[in-house]
Amino acid sequence: GSTGNLGLSVGLGAAALGMRAVVHMSTDAKAWKKSLLRSRGVVVVEHAGLYDEAVAAGRAESASNPASHFVDDESSRVLFLGYSAAAFELRAQLAELNVEVSPERPLVVHIPCGVGGAPGGLCWGMHLAFGAAQPVRVFFAEPVAAPCVTLALCTGKGAAVCVADIGLDGKTEADGLAVGRASALCFETCAPLVEGSYTIEDCTLFEHLGALVELERSFIEPSCCACFAGPGHLAAGSQRARWLLAEGTHVFWATGGSLVPEAEREALVARTPMGRQ
C-alpha cells in the first residue's frame, strides 16, 4: 500500500529480483509512477479513496495468500528498522566530514512526513545512533492539507484521529505526503522523541523547488521540499527554536526525485517562480 515512493521502491525492487509484486495505490499517486511500475511488470491496483484505504485493501489481499508478504508504511516493523539504518549512515558521513554533534552543536534533522513510517524509523534510528551525548532534534514537515502526524501528536490520539475529522481533504501536490491518518507505530515510537513538526502550503513547495534548481542545479520532488520550511518556522518560534536554528547543524532529508522523467521535471519546474519568469 502506497501513495507513491514506497510502492515504487518495493515494486521496482521486486521486479529486479524476478518476483511478482502487487502495489495498491491511491488515485492521487502520480501517473508516471504507476506507468513506470506497470512497464516493469508490476500489478498496480488503484483506489479512489485516501492512502489508508489503499493500504487496507492491500493488506486484505495479502492476508488471503499464504505465499504473500505485505509491506506498508503503517505497521511494517521490518521496514521501520530498514529506515532506521540510514541514521547510522548519516552518523558515519558526518564523522567523515568532521561535523561536530554535541549539546552545544545539536544535529537538527528536517524530514518530509506522510504516514510517518520513514520519518518515524529515521527519528528512532537517529536517537539510537547518536545517543544522549550527541543530541539530535528531529522535525517532521507536512502539507497543510494532510498534517496527519502533527494532528496525532497535538491531540495525543495517534491513529485514532484523521485529518478529515478537522475538515481537511488531504489533497496536495505532495502526493507522497497525502495521508489522512498517522501510523500508530510512528506515533507510539516517536511521540517522546520528535522535537516538533510544521506544515507548508503547496505553493511554497514550488518556491523552494525553484530556489533549489536555481541555486544548486539540483532537482527533487516537490513533496521533498517540505523540509525546507523548517528554518522559517524556527526563526519565528520560541527562544529554544531560534537557538536551534542558530547553533544547530541542519540536515534536510531529500526523499525522492532521481526517477522522475525529464518531461515531468520540466513541467514541475515550470510551476516554480523561476519557471514562470
Side-chain angles (χ1 to χ4, degrees):
S2 174
T3 54
N5 286 344
L6 174 63
L8 195 62
S9 299
V10 172
L12 295 180
L17 294 171
M19 302 170 66
R20 181 176 183 271
V22 179
V23 177
H24 289 256
M25 307 177 86
S26 67
T27 53
D28 290 333
K30 298 300 183 186
W32 70 263
K33 296 179 181 180
K34 291 177 278 193
S35 295
L36 177 57
L37 285 168
R38 287 171 172 140
S39 73
R40 303 292 176 86
V42 176
V43 177
V44 177
V45 181
E46 297 187 57
H47 299 269
L50 295 176
Y51 165 85
D52 52 350
E53 296 176 23
V55 171
R59 184 180 290 114
E61 180 179 339
S62 179
S64 67
N65 183 355
S68 172
H69 177 71
F70 182 70
V71 178
D72 77 303
D73 261 338
E74 283 186 359
S75 55
S76 297
R77 293 183 179 274
V78 172
L79 179 63
F80 189 89
L81 292 173
Y83 287 136
S84 72
F88 294 87
E89 296 179 13
L90 176 62
R91 185 183 67 179
Q93 291 171 356
L94 294 177
E96 185 177 344
L97 294 170
N98 294 315
V99 174
E100 175 188 351
V101 180
S102 67
E104 294 75 30
R105 299 285 292 176
L107 182 64
V108 184
V109 184
H110 304 266
I111 309 175
C113 183
V115 71
L122 289 166
C123 180
W124 181 79
M126 296 287 177
H127 285 81
L128 186 65
F130 288 89
Q134 296 178 298
V136 181
R137 308 303 177 202
V138 175
F139 288 90
F140 294 158
E142 299 185 282
V144 293
C148 66
V149 173
T150 298
L151 181 62
L153 293 169
C154 288
T155 61
K157 295 182 178 180
V161 63
C162 71
V163 300
D165 296 335
I166 59 171
L168 298 177
D169 60 11
K171 302 295 184 181
T172 172
E173 284 294 329
D175 65 316
L177 312 182
V179 181
R181 190 183 306 274
S183 156
L185 176 60
C186 170
F187 175 75
E188 294 162 4
T189 306
C190 295
L193 303 177
V194 66
E195 183 73 15
S197 63
Y198 47 80
T199 59
I200 182 171
E201 295 182 354
D202 278 10
C203 60
T204 312
L205 294 174
F206 286 96
E207 291 175 7
H208 288 307
L209 174 59
L212 181 68
V213 172
E214 183 176 11
L215 297 174
E216 299 289 337
R217 298 293 185 267
S218 181
F219 175 88
I220 58 178
E221 288 188 77
S223 58
C224 306
C225 296
C227 59
F228 294 142
H233 284 286
L234 294 180
S238 65
Q239 181 178 357
R240 173 179 171 80
R242 296 193 300 273
W243 179 81
L244 286 174
L245 177 62
E247 302 300 329
T249 297
H250 294 258
V251 172
F252 302 92
W253 209 268
T255 53
S258 62
L259 294 177
V260 178
E262 187 60 34
E264 293 286 339
R265 294 190 185 202
E266 292 176 357
L268 291 169
V269 172
R271 297 176 61 182
T272 69
M274 180 190 72
R276 294 195 298 268
Q277 291 177 356

